[in-house]
Amino acid sequence: MVPPEFPYRIPNEAEFDFKNLFILDMANNHQGSREHGLRIIKEHAEEVRRAEVRAAVKFQFRELDTFVHPAHRAHSDNKHIPRFLSTRLSWDDFQYMLDAVRAEGLTSCCTPFDEASVARIREMGFDILKIASCSVKDWPLLEAAASSGLPMICSTGGADEDDIDNLCSFLEHRRVNYALMHCVSVYPTPDHLMQLRQIQFLKRRQPAREVGWSTHEPPDDTTCVALAAALGATLFERHIGVETDSIKLNAYSSAPKQAAAWYAAVKRAWVLLGQSLGRAPSSLQEQESLCSLSRGVFAARDIFAGESLSREDVYFAMPCKEGQLRSGQFKPGTRVMNSFAKDDALLLNSLERPAPMVEHIFFRAIHRAKAMLNEARIPLAAPFSVEFSHHFGPENFEKTGAIIIDCVNRSYCKKLVIQFPEQKHPAHYHKSKEETFQVLYGILDIEVDGQPHRLYPGQSILIQQGVWHRFGTPCGVIFEEISTTHIPGDSYYEHKSINDTPLEKRKTKVEHWGRYQINFSTK
């Protein structure tokens, strides 16, 4: 079973889904012309539909009568102000273009540069509010934006760690649904300033949030966006426009066909990357390729029906044909049901293979548990002890059971509990122990006193003495158990056969799991 992507916070189905969204920033490329703006929307919408991607057209709003200082309205040495003033549109024009975005079936987005623009965005009913890199420390603007109730995307160009931490804390406290964008505010961006690994930094710093790439590289360059996708970016932004005989695009804005190549690069990256979690199953082509290089098991002598084989009775050679036992599958003690002549291939459907030894069930579980702890970034420092709970025998461990790592057991107790996908722990209660479970990784389904709960990382639940509870996981879980002192034999099970089984027969101790020092008293 391939696990779903583990959430880092409680999913909220009402929240806007930022994942795999392409943001198309018109900026001032409408040239102050409503008709040219409509052309940009229409021609880019055609490419969006052709590419079958989710896209949002983004406007930029400034209340120019108050945004620009009076002394700079007639003339300014600031290179941006003349462009803002010369491409000015009326609010009716913006509304007309917003209606066109909706008519094309696209999402609407807008960047405000002042508080009055936030009010306009909210009044006009935009879907998303975007904070530009220059505004991530503009707290009056951020206060207004956070109060809008709209989902927000925040670019982080030029922001340091403290700036990003402050911004995220501010938005978290106000319960804003937001995403982050790695951005370099140099137009166009040269290669040595791209710093694409910052996408991974943001994802580690804010694992509960979608992280994207707001790009200003030349529009024919699709390498950067493919790398961004490979590094974990899940939303993508760039400037767009349409060239005419009199209108030329700047060095970082994409014409429709260039945007189409941009979408194609990301979609190809998704195909190349494959699934993000869980080991992907091998393809039929790969299996056939490996089979053609594998060694099969062949009879080293004439073998008769009913014999049990030793290593000396067989040899390994290629090619391995379909249905034949492979070299890595052979185990001494394999019994043949049909006779084989010397050099015959041993076929799977003619063999009885020995059941796996108890040791191998535990060895496999140790390997999986270590890997889960590594993936969850949970280090273990000695001393600690490990036990397997297998309530219905080791052979049923992967269905019913858990791995329990004892870290501390004094007047207080701390344990880590690990379960694999679809594994369950049966209903029981404790007479003496009170415990709290807190999920560190994965998802925990727990029933306490008949009430079901689903817990995600960071969530916890209290189980008092005498309260029935059972738990399991759909996709694997590691949770911390904090309790009063653990007393062996203090678990009383609903299933009477468990209570009737001696403790040493339903628990297996691991003295040192690095050396497989396991107490096999269950055999």
Side-chain angles (χ1 to χ4, degrees):
M1 174 185 175
V2 177
E5 187 166 348
F6 293 145
Y8 285 86
R9 62 194 179 98
I10 307 168
N12 183 346
E13 293 182 0
E15 289 187 343
F16 183 86
D17 183 9
F18 295 105
K19 186 174 288 186
N20 301 339
L21 181 68
F22 292 84
I23 303 153
L24 311 179
D25 188 354
M26 274 211 312
N28 297 94
N29 285 342
H30 50 68
Q31 302 298 318
S33 164
R34 181 174 81 174
E35 294 310 312
H36 189 65
L38 293 173
R39 180 176 177 181
I40 294 172
I41 293 165
K42 177 177 173 49
E43 293 191 17
H44 279 273
E46 289 175 1
E47 296 299 339
V48 166
R49 284 191 291 271
R50 196 170 286 122
E52 297 181 329
V53 295
R54 293 176 64 218
V57 173
K58 183 166 80 72
F59 299 90
Q60 295 185 4
F61 278 6
R62 302 168 183 86
E63 191 72 68
L64 290 171
D65 290 338
T66 54
F67 183 72
V68 178
H69 189 276
H72 284 258
R73 291 176 194 164
H75 174 75
S76 178
D77 55 4
N78 181 294
K79 66 179 182 179
H80 300 292
I81 290 175
R83 178 166 173 77
F84 294 159
L85 293 171
S86 67
T87 58
R88 183 172 192 162
L89 284 170
S90 71
W91 295 116
D92 285 343
D93 288 335
F94 278 123
Q95 182 66 59
Y96 197 86
M97 291 194 298
L98 175 59
D99 292 341
V101 169
R102 292 169 175 155
E104 295 286 356
L106 302 174
T107 300
S108 60
C109 182
C110 192
T111 296
F113 288 89
D114 50 29
E115 296 86 339
S117 295
V118 173
R120 289 277 186 182
I121 289 167
R122 188 175 181 183
E123 177 187 329
M124 294 170 71
F126 278 87
D127 298 310
I128 307 168
L129 189 149
K130 169 77 193 302
I131 297 297
S133 293
C134 63
S135 301
V136 294
K137 293 183 281 186
D138 187 336
W139 295 108
L141 177 60
L142 290 170
E143 285 281 6
S147 299
S148 71
L150 292 172
M152 289 169 54
I153 300 171
C154 302
S155 282
T156 59
D160 63 21
E161 289 184 14
D162 285 344
D163 296 330
I164 294 169
D165 294 343
N166 290 340
L167 173 67
C168 293
S169 179
F170 173 85
L171 297 175
E172 295 280 355
H173 289 166
R174 286 154 181 79
R175 304 287 290 176
V176 175
N177 177 23
Y178 71 96
L180 296 172
M181 303 289 273
H182 170 51
C183 178
V184 179
S185 300
V186 178
Y187 308 83
T189 309
D191 287 359
H192 70 282
L193 294 180
M194 290 291 180
Q195 296 292 323
L196 287 170
R197 285 199 178 99
Q198 291 300 303
I199 293 166
Q200 293 176 312
F201 165 78
L202 292 174
K203 288 176 71 68
R204 290 193 303 270
R205 200 79 167 182
Q206 296 295 330
R209 299 296 167 183
E210 299 296 336
V211 172
W213 164 235
S214 182
T215 173
H216 301 113
E217 70 267 16
D220 288 324
D221 181 350
T222 58
T223 300
C224 291
V225 76
L227 286 172
L231 290 166
T234 54
L235 60 161
F236 310 90
E237 179 183 22
R238 72 170 306 117
H239 290 253
I240 61 164
V242 171
E243 285 198 340
T244 68
D245 292 340
S246 58
I247 297 173
K248 301 302 176 186
L249 292 181
N250 56 39
Y252 53 88
S253 292
S254 293
K257 293 301 179 186
Q258 292 170 317
W262 186 58
Y263 308 139
V266 176
K267 292 181 73 174
R268 181 167 184 246
W270 289 339
V271 172
L272 294 171
L273 290 167
Q275 66 188 40
S276 61
L277 285 173
R279 179 64 178 171
S282 60
S283 66
L284 180 60
Q285 298 97 309
E286 186 177 30
Q287 291 176 32
E288 290 173 347
S289 173
L290 291 173
C291 186
S292 68
L293 292 167
S294 297
R295 295 188 300 166
V297 181
F298 296 87
R301 60 172 177 82
D302 291 341
I303 297 172
F304 300 98
E307 285 194 71
S308 291
L309 303 179
S310 67
R311 175 65 181 85
E312 291 72 28
D313 296 324
V314 300
Y315 67 91
F316 310 136
M318 67 174 296
C320 180
K321 69 180 184 180
E322 186 175 353
Q324 183 179 359
L325 187 70
R326 296 189 189 187
S327 57
Q329 296 173 310
F330 176 77
K331 288 182 173 56
T334 296
R335 184 171 174 270
V336 297
M337 295 181 289
N338 299 318
S339 296
F340 293 92
K342 183 178 183 296
D343 296 325
D344 278 353
L346 299 190
L347 303 179
L348 286 165
N349 61 8
S350 296
L351 305 172
E352 282 185 357
R353 299 165 67 198
M357 293 185 293
V358 170
E359 289 92 330
H360 292 292
I361 294 172
F362 293 137
F363 294 165
R364 180 172 184 263
I366 288 172
H367 299 160
R368 295 178 74 187
K370 287 181 177 179
M372 284 178 66
L373 289 165
N374 288 340
E375 186 174 350
R377 303 294 190 268
I378 300 173
L380 289 178
F384 63 88
S385 61
V386 181
E387 71 175 29
F388 292 86
S389 287
H390 40 75
H391 311 84
F392 300 115
E395 67 277 11
N396 294 305
F397 170 73
E398 291 198 1
K399 292 182 179 179
T400 306
I403 295 177
I404 300 172
I405 301 173
D406 291 309
C407 302
V408 178
N409 190 26
R410 297 174 65 85
S411 58
Y412 55 92
C413 176
K414 174 185 170 179
K415 301 179 181 182
L416 291 176
V417 181
I418 302 174
Q419 285 192 301
F420 304 134
E422 303 295 341
Q423 199 172 28
K424 293 180 172 57
H425 192 288
H428 64 289
Y429 69 88
H430 309 290
K431 285 186 179 179
S432 300
K433 184 172 68 171
E434 176 180 284
E435 55 192 357
T436 295
F437 294 171
Q438 182 170 37
V439 177
L440 305 178
Y441 168 89
I443 299 172
L444 177 66
D445 286 331
I446 182 167
E447 182 184 295
V448 179
D449 203 14
Q451 297 298 312
H453 306 267
R454 172 159 282 191
L455 303 184
Y456 297 92
Q459 291 188 295
S460 62
I461 193 165
L462 169 68
I463 302 114
Q464 295 177 304
Q465 296 100 326
V467 175
W468 287 100
H469 57 288
R470 72 180 84 210
F471 55 86
T473 175
C475 55
V477 70
I478 303 173
F479 63 90
E480 194 171 50
E481 176 191 311
I482 304 296
S483 72
T484 54
T485 304
H486 170 74
I487 301 171
D490 186 40
S491 296
Y492 300 87
Y493 287 87
E494 181 181 54
H495 204 290
K496 304 307 179 189
S497 69
I498 302 175
N499 296 324
D500 294 339
T501 303
L503 192 64
E504 65 272 13
K505 293 295 183 182
R506 51 186 169 89
K507 300 277 189 180
T508 295
K509 297 286 186 180
V510 180
E511 302 302 333
H512 191 298
W513 71 358
R515 296 289 180 268
Y516 302 123
Q517 295 173 6
I518 300 176
N519 177 8
F520 290 110
S521 61
T522 56
K523 293 195 294 184

